[in-house]
Coordinates of all heavy atoms in Angstrom, one line a residue:
M544 N -22.0 12.0 -7.5 CA -21.1 13.2 -7.4 C -20.1 13.0 -6.2 O -20.4 12.4 -5.2 CB -22.0 14.4 -7.0 CG -21.3 15.8 -7.2 SD -22.5 17.1 -7.0 CE -23.5 17.0 -8.4
K545 N -18.9 13.5 -6.5 CA -17.8 13.3 -5.5 C -17.2 14.6 -5.1 O -17.1 15.5 -6.0 CB -16.7 12.4 -6.1 CG -17.1 11.0 -6.3 CD -15.9 10.2 -6.9 CE -16.3 8.7 -7.1 NZ -15.2 8.0 -7.7
Y546 N -16.9 14.7 -3.8 CA -16.2 15.9 -3.4 C -15.0 15.5 -2.6 O -15.0 14.5 -1.8 CB -17.1 16.7 -2.4 CG -18.4 17.2 -3.0 CD1 -19.5 16.5 -2.8 CD2 -18.4 18.4 -3.7 CE1 -20.7 17.0 -3.4 CE2 -19.6 18.9 -4.2 CZ -20.8 18.1 -4.1 OH -21.9 18.6 -4.6
R547 N -13.9 16.1 -2.8 CA -12.7 15.8 -2.1 C -12.8 16.4 -0.7 O -13.1 17.6 -0.5 CB -11.5 16.5 -2.8 CG -11.0 15.7 -4.0 CD -10.3 14.5 -3.7 NE -9.9 13.8 -4.9 CZ -9.1 12.8 -5.0 NH1 -8.5 12.4 -3.9 NH2 -8.8 12.2 -6.1
L548 N -12.4 15.5 0.3 CA -12.4 16.0 1.7 C -10.9 16.1 2.1 O -10.5 16.8 3.1 CB -13.0 15.0 2.6 CG -14.5 14.8 2.5 CD1 -15.0 13.7 3.4 CD2 -15.3 16.0 2.7
G549 N -10.0 15.5 1.3 CA -8.6 15.6 1.5 C -7.9 15.0 0.3 O -8.6 14.5 -0.6
E550 N -6.6 14.9 0.4 CA -5.9 14.4 -0.8 C -6.3 13.0 -1.1 O -6.4 12.7 -2.3 CB -4.4 14.4 -0.5 CG -3.5 14.1 -1.7 CD -2.0 14.1 -1.4 OE1 -1.7 14.7 -0.4 OE2 -1.3 13.6 -2.2
N551 N -6.6 12.1 -0.1 CA -6.9 10.7 -0.4 C -8.3 10.4 0.2 O -8.5 9.2 0.5 CB -5.8 9.8 0.2 CG -4.5 10.0 -0.6 OD1 -4.5 9.9 -1.8 ND2 -3.4 10.2 0.2
L552 N -9.1 11.3 0.4 CA -10.4 11.1 1.0 C -11.5 11.8 0.3 O -11.3 13.0 -0.1 CB -10.3 11.6 2.5 CG -11.3 11.1 3.5 CD1 -11.0 9.6 3.8 CD2 -11.0 11.9 4.8
E553 N -12.6 11.2 0.0 CA -13.7 11.8 -0.7 C -15.1 11.5 -0.2 O -15.3 10.4 0.3 CB -13.5 11.5 -2.2 CG -13.7 10.1 -2.6 CD -13.3 9.7 -4.0 OE1 -12.7 10.6 -4.7 OE2 -13.5 8.6 -4.5
M554 N -16.0 12.4 -0.4 CA -17.4 12.2 -0.1 C -18.1 11.9 -1.4 O -18.0 12.6 -2.3 CB -17.9 13.5 0.6 CG -19.4 13.6 0.6 SD -20.1 12.6 1.9 CE -19.7 13.6 3.3
V555 N -18.9 10.8 -1.3 CA -19.7 10.4 -2.5 C -21.1 10.6 -2.2 O -21.6 10.2 -1.1 CB -19.4 9.0 -2.9 CG1 -20.2 8.5 -4.1 CG2 -17.9 8.7 -3.2
I556 N -21.9 11.2 -3.0 CA -23.3 11.4 -2.9 C -24.0 10.7 -4.1 O -23.7 11.1 -5.2 CB -23.7 12.9 -2.9 CG1 -23.0 13.6 -1.7 CG2 -25.2 13.0 -2.7 CD1 -23.2 15.1 -1.7
D557 N -24.8 9.6 -3.8 CA -25.4 8.9 -4.8 C -26.7 9.5 -5.3 O -27.1 10.6 -4.9 CB -25.6 7.4 -4.4 CG -26.6 7.2 -3.4 OD1 -27.4 8.2 -3.1 OD2 -26.7 6.1 -2.8
E558 N -27.3 8.9 -6.3 CA -28.5 9.5 -6.9 C -29.6 9.6 -5.9 O -30.5 10.5 -6.1 CB -29.0 8.6 -8.1 CG -28.0 8.6 -9.3 CD -28.2 7.5 -10.3 OE1 -29.2 6.8 -10.1 OE2 -27.3 7.4 -11.2
A559 N -29.7 8.8 -4.9 CA -30.7 8.9 -3.9 C -30.4 10.0 -2.8 O -31.2 10.2 -1.9 CB -30.9 7.6 -3.2
G560 N -29.2 10.6 -2.9 CA -28.8 11.6 -2.0 C -28.1 11.1 -0.8 O -27.8 11.8 0.2
L561 N -27.8 9.8 -0.8 CA -27.1 9.2 0.4 C -25.6 9.5 0.3 O -25.0 9.4 -0.8 CB -27.3 7.6 0.4 CG -28.7 7.2 0.6 CD1 -28.8 5.6 0.5 CD2 -29.2 7.6 2.0
R562 N -25.1 9.9 1.5 CA -23.7 10.3 1.5 C -22.8 9.2 2.1 O -23.3 8.5 3.0 CB -23.5 11.6 2.4 CG -24.3 12.8 1.9 CD -24.1 14.0 2.7 NE -24.2 13.7 4.1 CZ -23.9 14.6 5.1 NH1 -23.4 15.7 4.7 NH2 -24.0 14.3 6.3
S563 N -21.6 9.1 1.6 CA -20.6 8.2 2.2 C -19.2 8.7 2.0 O -19.0 9.4 0.9 CB -20.8 6.8 1.6 OG -20.5 6.7 0.3
V564 N -18.4 8.5 2.9 CA -17.0 8.9 2.9 C -16.2 7.7 2.4 O -16.4 6.6 2.9 CB -16.5 9.4 4.2 CG1 -15.0 9.8 4.1 CG2 -17.3 10.6 4.6
Q565 N -15.3 7.8 1.5 CA -14.5 6.7 1.1 C -13.0 7.1 0.8 O -12.7 8.2 0.5 CB -15.1 6.0 -0.1 CG -15.1 6.9 -1.4 CD -15.7 6.1 -2.6 OE1 -16.7 5.4 -2.4 NE2 -15.2 6.4 -3.8
C566 N -12.2 6.0 0.8 CA -10.8 6.2 0.3 C -10.8 6.5 -1.2 O -11.4 5.9 -2.0 CB -10.0 4.9 0.6 SG -8.4 4.9 -0.1
A567 N -10.1 7.6 -1.5 CA -10.0 8.0 -2.9 C -9.1 7.1 -3.8 O -9.2 7.1 -5.0 CB -9.5 9.4 -3.0
Q568 N -8.3 6.2 -3.1 CA -7.5 5.3 -3.8 C -8.1 4.0 -4.1 O -8.0 3.5 -5.2 CB -6.2 5.1 -3.0 CG -5.4 6.4 -2.8 CD -5.0 7.1 -4.1 OE1 -4.6 6.4 -5.1 NE2 -5.1 8.4 -4.2
C569 N -8.8 3.4 -3.1 CA -9.4 2.1 -3.3 C -10.9 2.0 -3.2 O -11.5 1.0 -3.5 CB -8.7 1.1 -2.4 SG -9.2 1.3 -0.6
G570 N -11.5 3.1 -2.7 CA -13.0 3.1 -2.6 C -13.5 2.5 -1.3 O -14.8 2.4 -1.2
T571 N -12.7 2.1 -0.4 CA -13.2 1.5 0.8 C -14.0 2.5 1.6 O -13.6 3.7 1.8 CB -12.0 1.1 1.7 OG1 -11.3 0.0 1.1 CG2 -12.4 0.7 3.1
G572 N -15.2 2.1 2.0 CA -16.2 3.0 2.7 C -15.7 3.2 4.2 O -15.3 2.4 4.8
L573 N -15.9 4.5 4.6 CA -15.6 4.9 5.9 C -16.7 5.5 6.7 O -16.6 6.3 7.6 CB -14.4 5.9 5.9 CG -13.1 5.4 5.3 CD1 -12.2 6.5 4.9 CD2 -12.4 4.4 6.2
G574 N -18.0 5.1 6.3 CA -19.2 5.6 6.9 C -19.8 6.8 6.2 O -19.2 7.3 5.2
A575 N -20.8 7.4 6.8 CA -21.6 8.4 6.1 C -21.2 9.8 6.6 O -21.6 10.8 5.9 CB -23.1 8.2 6.3
S576 N -20.5 9.9 7.7 CA -20.3 11.2 8.3 C -19.0 11.8 7.8 O -17.9 11.2 7.9 CB -20.3 11.1 9.8 OG -19.8 12.3 10.3
P577 N -19.0 13.1 7.4 CA -17.7 13.7 7.0 C -16.8 14.1 8.2 O -15.7 14.4 8.1 CB -18.1 15.0 6.3 CG -19.5 15.3 6.8 CD -20.1 13.9 7.1
M578 N -17.4 13.9 9.4 CA -16.7 14.2 10.7 C -16.2 12.9 11.4 O -15.2 12.9 12.0 CB -17.5 15.0 11.7 CG -18.0 16.3 11.1 SD -16.7 17.4 10.4 CE -15.8 17.7 11.9
N579 N -16.9 11.8 11.2 CA -16.6 10.6 12.0 C -15.9 9.5 11.2 O -15.7 8.4 11.7 CB -17.9 10.0 12.6 CG -18.5 10.9 13.6 OD1 -17.8 11.8 14.2 ND2 -19.8 10.8 13.9
W580 N -15.4 9.8 10.0 CA -14.7 8.8 9.3 C -13.4 8.4 10.0 O -12.9 7.3 9.8 CB -14.3 9.4 7.9 CG -13.4 10.5 7.9 CD1 -13.8 11.8 7.9 CD2 -11.9 10.5 8.0 NE1 -12.6 12.6 8.0 CE2 -11.5 11.8 8.0 CE3 -11.0 9.5 8.0 CZ2 -10.2 12.2 8.1 CZ3 -9.7 9.9 8.1 CH2 -9.3 11.2 8.2
Q581 N -12.8 9.2 10.9 CA -11.6 8.9 11.6 C -11.8 7.6 12.4 O -10.9 6.8 12.6 CB -11.2 10.0 12.6 CG -10.8 11.2 11.8 CD -11.8 12.3 11.8 OE1 -13.0 12.0 11.7 NE2 -11.5 13.5 11.7
E582 N -13.0 7.3 12.9 CA -13.3 6.2 13.8 C -13.1 4.9 12.9 O -12.8 3.8 13.5 CB -14.7 6.3 14.3 CG -14.8 7.4 15.3 CD -16.3 7.7 15.7 OE1 -17.2 6.9 15.3 OE2 -16.6 8.7 16.3
K583 N -13.3 4.9 11.7 CA -13.2 3.7 10.8 C -11.8 3.6 10.2 O -11.5 2.5 9.7 CB -14.2 3.7 9.7 CG -15.6 3.9 10.2 CD -16.6 3.0 9.6 CE -18.0 3.2 10.2 NZ -18.9 2.3 9.8
A584 N -11.0 4.6 10.3 CA -9.7 4.6 9.7 C -8.7 3.8 10.7 O -9.0 3.7 11.9 CB -9.1 6.0 9.5
K585 N -7.7 3.2 10.1 CA -6.7 2.5 10.9 C -5.8 3.6 11.5 O -5.4 4.6 10.8 CB -5.9 1.5 10.0 CG -5.0 0.7 10.8 CD -4.5 -0.5 9.9 CE -3.5 -1.4 10.5 NZ -4.0 -2.0 11.8
T586 N -5.4 3.4 12.8 CA -4.6 4.4 13.4 C -3.2 3.8 13.7 O -3.0 2.7 14.1 CB -5.2 4.8 14.8 OG1 -6.5 5.3 14.6 CG2 -4.4 5.9 15.4
W587 N -2.2 4.6 13.4 CA -0.8 4.2 13.6 C -0.1 5.3 14.4 O -0.2 6.5 14.1 CB -0.1 4.1 12.3 CG 1.3 3.4 12.3 CD1 1.7 2.6 13.3 CD2 2.3 3.5 11.4 NE1 3.0 2.2 13.0 CE2 3.4 2.7 11.8 CE3 2.5 4.2 10.2 CZ2 4.6 2.6 11.1 CZ3 3.6 4.0 9.5 CH2 4.7 3.3 9.9
T588 N 0.4 4.9 15.6 CA 1.1 5.9 16.4 C 2.6 5.8 16.3 O 3.1 4.8 16.3 CB 0.6 5.6 17.9 OG1 -0.8 5.6 18.0 CG2 1.2 6.6 18.9
L589 N 3.2 7.0 16.2 CA 4.6 7.1 16.0 C 5.2 8.0 17.1 O 4.5 8.9 17.5 CB 4.9 7.7 14.6 CG 4.5 6.9 13.4 CD1 4.5 7.8 12.2 CD2 5.3 5.7 13.2
P590 N 6.5 7.8 17.4 CA 7.2 8.8 18.3 C 7.2 10.2 17.6 O 7.4 10.3 16.4 CB 8.6 8.3 18.4 CG 8.5 6.9 17.9 CD 7.4 6.8 17.0
V591 N 7.0 11.2 18.4 CA 6.9 12.6 17.8 C 8.3 13.0 17.2 O 8.3 13.9 16.3 CB 6.4 13.6 18.9 CG1 7.5 13.9 19.9 CG2 5.9 14.9 18.2
A592 N 9.3 12.4 17.6 CA 10.7 12.7 17.1 C 10.7 12.4 15.6 O 11.6 13.0 14.9 CB 11.8 11.9 17.8
W593 N 9.8 11.6 15.0 CA 9.8 11.3 13.6 C 9.4 12.6 12.8 O 9.6 12.7 11.6 CB 8.8 10.2 13.3 CG 9.3 8.8 13.6 CD1 10.0 8.5 14.7 CD2 9.0 7.6 12.9 NE1 10.2 7.1 14.6 CE2 9.7 6.6 13.5 CE3 8.4 7.4 11.7 CZ2 9.7 5.3 13.0 CZ3 8.4 6.1 11.2 CH2 9.0 5.1 11.9
A594 N 8.8 13.6 13.5 CA 8.4 14.8 12.8 C 9.7 15.7 12.6 O 9.6 16.7 11.9 CB 7.4 15.5 13.6
G595 N 10.8 15.3 13.3 CA 12.0 16.2 13.1 C 12.6 16.5 14.5 O 12.0 16.4 15.5
P596 N 13.9 16.9 14.5 CA 14.6 17.1 15.7 C 14.0 18.2 16.6 O 14.1 18.2 17.8 CB 16.0 17.5 15.2 CG 15.9 17.8 13.8 CD 14.7 17.1 13.3
L597 N 13.3 19.2 16.0 CA 12.8 20.3 16.8 C 11.6 19.8 17.7 O 11.3 20.4 18.7 CB 12.3 21.4 15.9 CG 13.4 22.2 15.2 CD1 12.8 23.2 14.3 CD2 14.4 22.8 16.2
M598 N 11.0 18.6 17.3 CA 9.9 18.1 18.0 C 10.3 17.0 19.1 O 9.4 16.5 19.8 CB 8.9 17.5 17.1 CG 8.3 18.4 16.1 SD 7.3 19.7 16.9 CE 5.9 18.7 17.4
S599 N 11.6 16.7 19.1 CA 12.0 15.5 19.9 C 11.7 15.7 21.4 O 11.5 14.7 22.1 CB 13.4 15.2 19.7 OG 14.2 16.3 20.1
G600 N 11.7 16.9 21.9 CA 11.4 17.1 23.4 C 9.9 17.2 23.7 O 9.6 17.3 24.9
A601 N 9.1 17.3 22.7 CA 7.7 17.5 23.0 C 7.0 16.4 23.7 O 7.4 15.2 23.5 CB 6.9 17.8 21.7
D602 N 6.0 16.7 24.5 CA 5.3 15.7 25.3 C 4.1 15.2 24.5 O 3.0 15.4 24.9 CB 4.9 16.3 26.7 CG 4.8 15.2 27.7 OD1 5.3 14.1 27.5 OD2 4.3 15.5 28.8
S603 N 4.4 14.6 23.4 CA 3.2 14.2 22.5 C 3.7 13.1 21.5 O 4.9 12.7 21.5 CB 2.7 15.4 21.7 OG 3.8 16.0 21.0
H604 N 2.8 12.6 20.7 CA 3.2 11.6 19.7 C 2.4 11.9 18.4 O 1.5 12.7 18.4 CB 2.9 10.2 20.2 CG 1.5 9.9 20.5 ND1 1.0 9.9 21.8 CD2 0.5 9.6 19.7 CE1 -0.3 9.6 21.8 NE2 -0.6 9.4 20.6
L605 N 2.9 11.3 17.4 CA 2.2 11.5 16.1 C 1.2 10.4 15.9 O 1.4 9.2 16.2 CB 3.2 11.4 14.9 CG 4.2 12.5 14.8 CD1 5.2 12.2 13.6 CD2 3.6 13.8 14.7
E606 N 0.0 10.7 15.3 CA -1.0 9.7 15.0 C -1.3 9.9 13.6 O -1.7 10.9 13.1 CB -2.2 10.0 15.9 CG -3.3 8.9 15.8 CD -4.4 9.2 16.7 OE1 -5.3 10.0 16.4 OE2 -4.4 8.6 17.8
Q607 N -1.1 8.8 12.8 CA -1.5 8.7 11.4 C -2.8 8.0 11.2 O -2.9 6.9 11.8 CB -0.3 8.1 10.6 CG 0.9 9.0 10.6 CD 2.0 8.5 9.6 OE1 2.2 7.4 9.4 NE2 2.6 9.5 8.9
L608 N -3.6 8.5 10.4 CA -4.9 7.8 10.1 C -4.8 7.3 8.6 O -4.5 8.0 7.7 CB -6.0 8.8 10.1 CG -6.2 9.5 11.5 CD1 -7.4 10.5 11.5 CD2 -6.5 8.4 12.6
L609 N -5.0 6.0 8.5 CA -4.7 5.2 7.3 C -6.0 4.5 6.8 O -6.8 4.2 7.6 CB -3.6 4.2 7.5 CG -2.3 4.7 8.1 CD1 -1.5 3.4 8.6 CD2 -1.5 5.5 7.2
C610 N -6.0 4.3 5.5 CA -7.1 3.5 5.0 C -6.9 2.1 5.5 O -5.9 1.5 5.5 CB -7.0 3.4 3.4 SG -8.2 2.3 2.7
P611 N -8.0 1.4 6.1 CA -7.9 0.1 6.7 C -7.7 -1.0 5.6 O -7.4 -2.1 5.9 CB -9.3 -0.1 7.4 CG -10.2 0.9 6.7 CD -9.3 2.0 6.2
S612 N -8.0 -0.6 4.3 CA -7.8 -1.6 3.3 C -6.5 -1.5 2.5 O -5.8 -2.5 2.4 CB -9.0 -1.4 2.3 OG -8.9 -2.4 1.2
C613 N -6.1 -0.3 2.0 CA -5.0 -0.2 1.2 C -3.8 0.5 1.9 O -2.7 0.6 1.4 CB -5.3 0.5 -0.1 SG -5.6 2.2 0.0
G614 N -4.0 1.1 3.1 CA -3.0 1.7 3.8 C -2.6 3.2 3.4 O -1.6 3.7 3.9
T615 N -3.4 3.7 2.5 CA -3.2 5.1 2.1 C -3.3 6.0 3.3 O -4.2 5.9 4.1 CB -4.2 5.5 1.0 OG1 -3.9 4.8 -0.2 CG2 -4.1 7.0 0.7
L616 N -2.3 7.0 3.4 CA -2.4 8.0 4.5 C -3.4 9.0 4.2 O -3.4 9.7 3.2 CB -1.0 8.6 4.6 CG -0.8 9.7 5.6 CD1 -1.0 9.1 7.0 CD2 0.5 10.4 5.5
F617 N -4.3 9.2 5.2 CA -5.3 10.2 5.1 C -4.9 11.5 5.8 O -5.1 12.6 5.4 CB -6.7 9.8 5.8 CG -7.3 8.6 5.1 CD1 -7.9 7.6 5.8 CD2 -7.4 8.6 3.7 CE1 -8.5 6.5 5.1 CE2 -8.0 7.5 3.0 CZ -8.6 6.5 3.8
E618 N -4.3 11.3 7.0 CA -4.1 12.5 7.8 C -3.0 12.2 8.9 O -2.9 11.1 9.4 CB -5.4 12.9 8.5 CG -5.3 14.2 9.3 CD -6.7 14.6 9.8 OE1 -7.6 14.8 9.1 OE2 -6.8 14.6 11.1
T619 N -2.1 13.1 9.2 CA -1.2 13.0 10.4 C -1.5 14.1 11.3 O -1.7 15.3 10.9 CB 0.2 13.1 9.9 OG1 0.5 12.1 8.9 CG2 1.2 13.0 11.0
R620 N -1.6 13.8 12.6 CA -1.8 14.8 13.6 C -1.0 14.6 14.8 O -0.5 13.4 15.1 CB -3.3 14.9 14.0 CG -3.9 13.6 14.4 CD -5.4 13.7 14.4 NE -6.0 12.4 14.9 CZ -7.3 12.1 14.8 NH1 -8.1 13.0 14.3 NH2 -7.8 11.0 15.2
I621 N -0.8 15.6 15.6 CA 0.0 15.5 16.8 C -1.0 15.4 18.0 O -1.9 16.2 18.1 CB 0.9 16.8 17.0 CG1 1.9 16.8 15.9 CG2 1.6 16.8 18.3 CD1 2.8 18.1 15.9
K622 N -0.8 14.3 18.8 CA -1.6 14.1 20.0 C -0.8 14.4 21.2 O 0.3 13.8 21.4 CB -2.1 12.7 20.0 CG -3.0 12.3 18.8 CD -4.4 12.8 19.0 CE -5.2 11.8 19.7 NZ -6.6 12.1 19.7
E623 N -1.3 15.1 22.1 CA -0.6 15.4 23.4 C -0.7 14.1 24.3 O -1.7 13.5 24.3 CB -1.2 16.6 24.1 CG -0.5 17.9 23.8 CD -1.0 19.0 24.7 OE1 -1.1 18.8 25.9 OE2 -1.3 20.0 24.1
V624 N 0.4 13.8 24.9 CA 0.3 12.7 25.9 C -0.1 13.3 27.2 O 0.5 14.2 27.8 CB 1.7 12.0 26.0 CG1 1.7 11.0 27.1 CG2 2.2 11.5 24.7
R625 N -1.2 12.8 27.7 CA -1.7 13.3 29.0 C -1.2 12.4 30.1 O -1.3 11.2 30.1 CB -3.2 13.3 29.0 CG -3.8 14.2 27.9 CD -5.1 14.7 28.3 NE -5.6 15.5 27.2 CZ -5.5 16.9 27.2 NH1 -4.9 17.5 28.2 NH2 -6.0 17.5 26.2
T626 N -0.5 13.0 31.1 CA 0.0 12.3 32.2 C -0.9 12.6 33.5 O -1.3 13.7 33.7 CB 1.4 12.6 32.5 OG1 1.5 14.1 32.6 CG2 2.3 12.2 31.4
E627 N -1.2 11.6 34.2 CA -2.0 11.8 35.4 C -1.1 12.4 36.5 O 0.0 12.1 36.8 CB -2.5 10.4 35.9 CG -3.4 9.7 34.9 CD -4.8 10.3 34.9 OE1 -5.2 10.7 36.0 OE2 -5.4 10.3 33.9
D628 N -1.7 13.4 37.2 CA -1.1 14.0 38.4 C -1.4 13.2 39.6 O -2.6 13.0 39.9 CB -1.6 15.5 38.6 CG -1.1 16.4 37.5 OD1 0.0 16.1 36.9 OD2 -1.7 17.3 37.2
T629 N -0.4 12.7 40.3 CA -0.7 11.8 41.4 C -0.2 12.5 42.7 O 0.6 13.3 42.7 CB -0.1 10.4 41.3 OG1 1.3 10.6 41.0 CG2 -0.8 9.6 40.2
Ligands
ZN2076 ZN1 -7.8 2.7 0.5

């Protein structure tokens, strides 16, 4: 049985009840946890200005989570850049 976790991400439950998260495009396994699949995904960091001119002054960057095998995009999120106060 398969459940969609996102457009290109799915949870598979086999006959024994074992769960695994996988890429919906190529089937590459990303572990058993619906929460920790991000740790196995490939991460690509982009300047936040790529999100559009309104974001160009923001103190953050874009992080894209990709399939480590076929490169399908799973998720894009904004990460704040933390600066140390000295
Ligand atoms: Zn894939």
Side-chain angles (χ1 to χ4, degrees):
M544 194 173 289
K545 292 181 180 178
Y546 299 95
R547 285 282 177 169
L548 297 177
E550 186 178 348
N551 293 310
L552 203 62
E553 60 192 10
M554 163 76 73
V555 179
I556 303 176
D557 70 11
E558 292 165 7
L561 295 175
R562 301 183 309 172
S563 61
V564 177
Q565 69 180 32
C566 172
Q568 299 302 317
C569 72
T571 293
L573 298 163
S576 167
M578 301 308 293
N579 294 339
W580 63 267
Q581 293 99 331
E582 294 167 9
K583 304 223 177 190
K585 187 167 178 56
T586 303
W587 190 23
T588 302
L589 298 167
V591 74
W593 283 39
L597 293 177
M598 297 295 290
S599 64
D602 208 14
S603 54
H604 61 262
L605 294 179
E606 188 175 82
Q607 293 192 317
L608 301 177
L609 310 164
C610 174
S612 180
C613 72
T615 291
L616 177 64
F617 295 139
E618 188 175 297
T619 300
R620 54 193 180 191
I621 295 176
K622 297 282 275 191
E623 269 188 47
V624 175
R625 301 207 179 264
T626 52
E627 297 283 325
D628 292 331
T629 52

